[in-house]
Amino acid sequence: MNHLLPGFESQERVALLLSLTRISSPEVIAALTLHYTSALPAERAAARHGIELSNFMRGQKKLEQIAATVEAIKAIDWAKLQSSPLLTTPLQPKQVA
């Protein structure tokens, strides 16, 4: 399942996800960022930054794995938040003495 949509991701989100990987090549980082922020096809993003498509795909696979982990953490947090007593009990107005 793809968690990242080409053309729909912000540069900030892509940069944060990339910071969780060991991807260090500026060209691969630039190509992935271009692909996910502008919807440029993978082949063209890789060619524009002078990298092999296989290197781009390897980076893309790793970025998707990280995004899947982040989404799984968010799902756990959301489930925990929904079962929190703070959200399940209605707020009562403060009594003024």
Side-chain angles (χ1 to χ4, degrees), residues 91-95:
L91 295 175
Q92 299 296 322
K94 248 186 171 178
Q95 301 260 337

Side-chain angles (χ1 to χ4, degrees), residues 38-57:
S38 71
L40 192 67
E43 297 82 7
R44 292 187 56 202
R48 183 171 289 180
H49 289 282
I51 61 171
E52 295 291 325
L53 183 58
S54 61
N55 291 336
F56 177 91
M57 300 303 283

Side-chain angles (χ1 to χ4, degrees), residues 11 14 18 23-57:
Q11 283 188 324
V14 174
L18 283 165
I23 298 170
S24 60
S25 165
E27 293 82 10
V28 172
I29 290 170
L32 288 166
T33 301
L34 181 62
H35 174 66
Y36 284 113
T37 59
S38 71
L40 192 67
E43 297 82 7
R44 292 187 56 202
R48 183 171 289 180
H49 289 282
I51 61 171
E52 295 291 325
L53 183 58
S54 61
N55 291 336
F56 177 91
M57 300 303 283

